[in-house]
Amino acid sequence: VKNTIKAVATDDIEQTDVTDWNFGDLPTSYMKKQGSYQIKAFPALVKSGNKVNVELLDHQEVAEASHLSGIVELIFKTLPSPIKHLQQKLPNKSKLVLYFNPFGQIDQLINDCIRAVIHKEVEQTVPRSQDAFNQLRDKIRAELNDTVLDAALQVEKILLVGHKISKQLKGKVSLDMIQANAYIKAHLDSLIYKGFVSECGIDRLSDIYRYVLALEKRLEKIKIDANKDRMNQIELDKVYDLYDKLTDKLPKELPVPTSITDVYWMIEELRVSLFAQGIGTKYPISIKRIKQAINELS
């Protein structure tokens, strides 16, 4: 199918390395007769490395996800960067903390925040025309400095707690805490990683902050009762096994449905409930609720 689409694609649709929206409207689908049958494809902006291309894709869900990412990248490329503004507005303490990030360079972390801010706006109204794109970009430009500053301050709080946890994990560890510390490090790495801001989204940052606080609390409580921590981890592992079986059934080439990612975040809330109940969960959560959600999806 991909080869057939490539054969019928015309130069006026597919374009390489676009630097602005100057290629007319993009329909949601494209039909062309090839011999005795119709070829249907889905035009989309596609991020490819550092470039943005216009391509015809063979699956609607893939095209929609790719187009959203492509729009984000094209707006990112064509807007003035707010990094200088942040350098003026961020407190020195915040600048220092932002260096404790998995990117290695603070500019890369800020760029991740910028993409996350743009993504939030784009997903509400994904443009398919030059006028709609320009209007959305102008709206984002007007608010970008303040929204990225707010995101950077939220990220600073997350990184500060994450850095504290990392320092504690590097000390001497008793035998009964080695495995628990390994679980905590793996969980921390799943929360704070290169690209976590844009992947998790701006609206999820307050949740990530709660999760790292809960992780810090877990580390404190292990020293008091390592056995209870181990029993909770066993229960958590059982839930993850069910989740892994659910995701193993998903087609690898398609985006993960929102209903599946919702279960992932339910498990994060369960972690808070099991290991740091005092932090508080976003909503009532239990192993039974998660199993029920997984069974319904299965």
Side-chain angles (χ1 to χ4, degrees):
V1 173
K2 288 178 181 177
N3 289 337
T4 306
I5 289 174
K6 189 175 180 180
V8 302
T10 54
D11 291 339
D12 60 328
I13 294 180
E14 290 201 324
Q15 296 191 39
T16 303
D17 195 13
V18 296
T19 55
D20 204 343
W21 194 304
N22 50 15
F23 41 81
D25 295 353
L26 270 188
T28 54
S29 61
Y30 169 85
M31 298 281 290
K32 186 167 183 178
K33 192 169 183 180
Q34 179 80 353
S36 59
Y37 54 92
Q38 292 271 9
I39 299 296
K40 186 173 185 179
F42 305 93
L45 284 178
V46 178
K47 181 182 176 183
S48 179
N50 294 322
K51 296 180 179 180
V52 178
N53 304 326
V54 182
E55 298 180 15
L56 289 175
L57 303 179
D58 62 332
H59 199 288
Q60 185 173 3
E61 290 180 27
V62 175
E64 288 172 357
S66 296
H67 188 61
L68 175 56
S69 298
I71 293 289
V72 170
E73 193 63 20
L74 191 57
I75 291 178
F76 175 83
K77 283 174 170 291
T78 54
L79 280 183
S81 173
I83 288 180
K84 286 185 179 179
H85 175 77
L86 291 174
Q87 288 172 342
Q88 294 173 346
K89 295 293 184 180
L90 278 172
N92 287 333
K93 181 180 76 71
S94 299
K95 294 175 186 176
L96 180 64
V97 172
L98 291 174
Y99 278 103
F100 304 145
N101 76 79
F103 294 87
Q105 294 183 354
I106 192 170
D107 284 5
Q108 291 183 29
L109 176 63
I110 297 301
N111 285 338
D112 194 39
C113 293
I114 296 169
R115 286 186 173 93
V117 166
I118 296 172
H119 188 281
K120 181 182 178 181
E121 293 294 331
V122 173
E123 67 182 351
Q124 296 175 32
T125 312
V126 185
R128 284 273 171 185
S129 69
Q130 185 174 16
D131 285 346
F133 175 81
N134 289 338
Q135 287 174 18
L136 178 60
R137 183 172 55 186
D138 289 344
K139 179 178 182 294
I140 293 171
R141 180 191 286 115
E143 304 166 353
L144 190 64
N145 286 352
D146 291 337
T147 49
V148 174
L149 175 62
D150 180 65
L153 290 172
Q154 290 187 71
V155 170
E156 178 227 329
K157 292 166 59 180
I158 294 168
L159 294 179
L160 181 59
V161 179
H163 184 64
K164 288 179 182 177
I165 296 170
S166 294
K167 284 179 69 177
Q168 292 183 62
L169 292 174
K170 289 176 181 176
K172 289 185 178 180
V173 181
S174 59
L175 287 173
D176 61 337
M177 288 179 58
I178 289 176
Q179 188 175 33
N181 277 21
Y183 276 118
I184 288 173
K185 185 181 185 310
H187 187 204
L188 183 63
D189 290 344
S190 75
L191 294 172
I192 302 174
Y193 54 90
K194 188 173 182 178
F196 81 95
V197 185
S198 57
E199 186 168 321
C200 295
I202 292 297
D203 292 337
R204 189 72 65 180
L205 289 178
S206 59
D207 294 331
I208 302 295
Y209 180 57
R210 269 190 312 109
Y211 300 153
V212 292
L213 285 177
L215 201 51
E216 186 180 37
K217 181 63 69 174
R218 178 183 180 182
L219 195 53
E220 293 173 10
K221 293 171 73 174
I222 291 174
K223 298 169 185 175
I224 301 168
D225 193 345
N227 187 58
K228 184 179 180 181
D229 184 273
R230 185 162 51 251
M231 298 307 294
N232 284 336
Q233 185 64 52
I234 289 171
E235 293 302 309
L236 184 66
D237 287 343
K238 291 176 183 177
V239 175
Y240 267 113
D241 285 343
L242 294 174
Y243 177 76
D244 288 342
K245 288 176 183 176
L246 178 66
T247 56
D248 286 345
K249 298 175 184 176
L250 297 174
K252 302 301 180 186
E253 70 277 7
L254 299 184
V256 178
T258 304
S259 57
I260 303 291
T261 56
D262 285 346
V263 174
Y264 175 86
W265 294 114
M266 287 176 71
I267 299 175
E268 286 294 338
E269 294 294 334
L270 179 65
R271 284 180 179 273
V272 177
S273 177
L274 288 174
F275 299 108
Q277 202 166 32
I279 297 292
T281 58
K282 197 171 186 176
Y283 41 74
I285 194 67
S286 65
I287 293 173
K288 183 179 178 181
R289 284 175 184 262
I290 296 175
K291 285 182 176 179
Q292 183 179 348
I294 290 175
N295 287 336
E296 288 174 359
L297 291 170
S298 297

